[in-house]
Amino acid sequence: MKKSLRITAVCSSLALLSVCLILKTSAQGLRMRSILPLSPVSGSVLVAQAIHSGKLHRPFHPFTAQFANTLTCSPAPCALPNVQASEGGSVVDETPIAASPTNSSRVLTGGNDYNCANIQGFFASSDGGSTWNHTCLNSIAGDFGEGDPGVGYDRVGNAFISGIDASHGIVFEHSNNNGTTWSTPMVAVPPLFSGGLTDKPWLQVDTNRTSPNVNALYISVTQFDSSQTTIDISVSHSLNHGTTWSTSTVATGTYPTINQFSDLAVGKDGTVYLTWMQCVANGPTNDCGGTSAAMMFSKSTDAGTTWSTPVVMANVNLAPDTCGAFYGCLPNTFERVSNIPAIGVDNSSGPHSGNLYVVMYNWTGTQLQVEVISSQNSGTTWGLPVKVAGTAVHDQFFPWLNVSQTGIVGVTWMDRRNDPSNINYQEFSALSFNGGASFGRNTVISTASSDPFNDGFGGSFMGDYSGNSWSGKTLFASWTDTRTGIAQDEVGGFFQ
């Protein structure tokens, strides 16, 4: 379908959703801005705020069936069947996933779930991902949710889910029966500034049996002050299963310097590794779109109490802002595209034990290209970027990375190589067995392609990330999938 026809279809579908969009012609061509403000705050928070204020209606699609598949395949290596974890109805996007470190049948995922009053839905499986239950994270009394789901397991049978409350900060619940029942919500990370906002949290659990802080909980957060001029990165930790929390500021920034999109990993000695993106809002559209961004790194050797001086791991180019999105846009769509430097650590006893790996995208001028950098000395120095998708020339976006218990580096991402028009995407995976020096065959793991214009918001918001998690020899992956006509949380993966 030609771009002009796509735009006509988008405007029609958005009108049905009572979403007002403005088309304007500029020197850069046709440009589409949504009612969402041009803001460094994440898209999921901006959408939640628009829904709460009545400016945006929750999208709905009559599809409610669930694809049930047994997530096994043979002979190895092979791609797993796909299963829809989410419940259908409204949109579900932005999809982290975690596998239990002690029970291979338990998997937990979630999303910005617009079926839920607080826009935070979670899906737990007790049969290796074949079937899923559903729960909505509750808000603190008098507050409302703003998305950004987090999931995790510890080594003593607890599952954890987290998300943003508009006024109280990052809240969480826990379950000791894999999501059959959940605790009442509690605040983990309050805003550090009066009237401020907590944004883009990432929940990580120390599941290393040799760690002195095994079962510790960590949440990294972007902290905005009330005017969005001070934008810091903080990390909170709990050493008692979430009963009490302590927060440390790791990095500070003053607009136009922006700190956003953090991620965490924990080494087998308990060292906590933190990454995030730093950009300066001085691009051609007065934001970070089309600029060079620094991928930042810090670590803590005392359970998150103190942190090393932040250093730059790599510099990347961000996609241009052609759609009114602060951090750039996915080409040929109106989608916001984030660049989260997702980090993993090799906690095996193999030859690359202790290596750190970080995945990100780089805008080459013609495509979004997924790359991995690595460090062999705990983050003191970093190697050159390695392409994951080889010579593929279509866009690659929303990558994620984790390392197996045997030291295999697993990367998943959304890829448009099978659409000559460079619009529709599928979820792909690739593995590295040599410490990130190279990646092997790219494997498509979604059994159907997805059209981003079917995201439920007319091609303007499909979340900020996907996810993956190892369980033994299985790399589970979760992604925003639109094969049913509206965005849902789809789960598949690769069995090595």
Side-chain angles (χ1 to χ4, degrees):
M1 182 181 290
K2 295 181 179 180
K3 189 184 293 186
S4 60
L5 295 180
R6 291 274 183 163
I7 292 172
T8 300
V10 170
C11 292
S12 175
S13 64
L14 287 179
L16 293 175
L17 296 172
S18 300
V19 179
C20 177
L21 295 165
I22 301 172
L23 291 173
K24 79 174 185 179
T25 302
S26 70
Q28 297 173 329
L30 195 59
R31 182 175 169 83
M32 190 172 188
R33 285 190 178 275
S34 73
I35 59 171
L36 301 179
L38 188 66
S39 167
V41 173
S42 68
S44 57
V45 171
L46 296 176
V47 169
Q49 291 175 346
I51 289 174
H52 184 73
S53 66
K55 295 179 180 178
L56 184 63
H57 294 174
R58 296 170 187 253
F60 181 79
H61 188 74
F63 178 83
T64 56
Q66 180 166 310
F67 296 117
N69 273 313
T70 301
L71 290 191
T72 59
C73 64
S74 65
C78 52
L80 300 178
N82 296 173
V83 60
Q84 182 183 307
S86 53
E87 71 274 39
S90 195
V91 165
V92 181
D93 57 36
E94 203 161 279
T95 57
I97 191 169
S100 169
T102 59
N103 186 334
S104 61
S105 66
R106 293 186 170 186
V107 189
L108 181 63
T109 183
N112 297 325
D113 187 343
Y114 299 91
N115 295 288
C116 293
N118 69 345
I119 315 180
Q120 295 155 344
F122 296 90
F123 316 99
S125 174
S126 296
D127 54 12
S130 297
T131 60
W132 302 80
N133 68 10
H134 173 234
T135 189
C136 294
L137 182 71
N138 293 301
S139 298
I140 303 296
D143 212 340
F144 65 94
E146 292 185 332
D148 270 323
V151 294
Y153 288 99
D154 65 16
R155 297 193 66 88
V156 292
N158 292 311
F160 298 90
I161 54 178
S162 64
I164 303 173
D165 261 19
S167 300
H168 289 84
I170 311 305
V171 300
F172 77 102
E173 297 175 4
H174 63 86
S175 171
N176 59 14
N177 53 21
N178 200 42
T180 301
T181 57
W182 293 90
S183 65
T184 57
M186 297 177 60
V187 175
V189 189
L192 293 183
F193 302 102
S194 177
L197 169 72
T198 55
D199 190 21
K200 280 271 87 51
W202 186 257
L203 168 66
Q204 190 70 35
V205 186
D206 184 347
T207 59
N208 300 288
R209 60 168 60 90
T210 60
S211 168
N213 305 308
V214 62
N215 301 316
L217 306 176
Y218 300 94
I219 299 180
S220 60
V221 175
T222 303
Q223 298 272 0
F224 288 90
D225 71 357
S226 58
S227 63
Q228 297 180 14
T229 55
T230 300
I231 307 168
D232 299 347
I233 298 291
S234 71
V235 177
S236 301
H237 66 271
S238 174
L239 304 181
N240 51 18
H241 310 290
T243 301
T244 58
W245 294 80
S246 298
T247 299
S248 300
T249 298
V250 181
T252 61
T254 302
Y255 194 91
T257 298
I258 312 294
N259 295 301
Q260 242 310 12
F261 303 130
S262 63
D263 187 38
L264 292 163
V266 186
K268 59 185 177 182
D269 63 352
T271 300
V272 187
Y273 301 102
L274 170 70
T275 54
W276 68 97
M277 186 193 80
Q278 185 179 88
C279 62
V280 180
N282 60 1
T285 46
N286 299 315
D287 54 23
C288 286
T291 68
S292 176
M295 296 307 193
M296 306 298 295
F297 171 83
S298 181
K299 64 182 178 181
S300 173
T301 57
D302 56 7
T305 301
T306 61
W307 293 83
S308 65
T309 301
V311 298
V312 177
M313 301 180 293
N315 290 291
V316 298
N317 296 318
L318 301 183
D321 172 14
T322 56
C323 67
F326 196 90
Y327 301 103
C329 304
L330 181 64
N332 302 331
T333 72
F334 315 120
E335 297 285 354
R336 298 160 176 264
V337 62
S338 63
N339 203 354
I340 302 174
I343 185 170
V345 55
D346 186 342
N347 287 322
S348 74
S349 57
H352 306 292
S353 178
N355 278 15
L356 301 175
Y357 305 94
V358 177
V359 69
M360 64 203 74
Y361 87 77
N362 180 59
W363 170 248
T364 68
T366 58
Q367 69 169 138
L368 307 179
Q369 192 172 77
V370 171
E371 301 175 340
V372 171
I373 58 173
S374 61
S375 173
Q376 300 177 16
N377 51 20
S378 298
T380 301
T381 59
W382 294 85
L384 295 175
V386 175
K387 297 177 184 178
V388 174
T391 59
V393 296
H394 286 174
D395 290 310
Q396 307 142 26
F397 58 104
F398 288 175
W400 208 259
L401 180 150
N402 269 296
V403 186
S404 76
Q405 294 178 343
T406 58
I408 303 171
V409 184
V411 176
T412 54
W413 70 97
M414 296 176 181
D415 194 301
R416 297 162 127 183
R417 71 182 69 181
N418 290 330
D419 180 5
S421 299
N422 195 38
I423 295 175
N424 294 343
Y425 63 87
Q426 290 177 274
E427 184 82 351
F428 272 70
S429 68
L431 307 179
S432 175
F433 299 87
N434 56 9
S438 62
F439 285 82
R441 178 173 62 93
N442 291 187
T443 301
V444 59
I445 57 177
S446 56
T447 57
S449 64
S450 288
D451 184 341
F453 287 89
N454 291 336
D455 65 2
F457 296 104
S460 60
F461 184 67
M462 56 188 294
D464 285 319
Y465 51 86
S466 60
N468 66 37
S469 182
W470 283 96
S471 178
K473 295 183 177 181
T474 298
L475 177 63
F476 284 111
S478 55
W479 64 93
T480 301
D481 190 289
T482 70
R483 71 183 71 184
T484 65
I486 197 168
Q488 294 295 302
D489 184 350
E490 195 78 14
V491 175
F494 189 78
F495 177 62
Q496 173 55 40

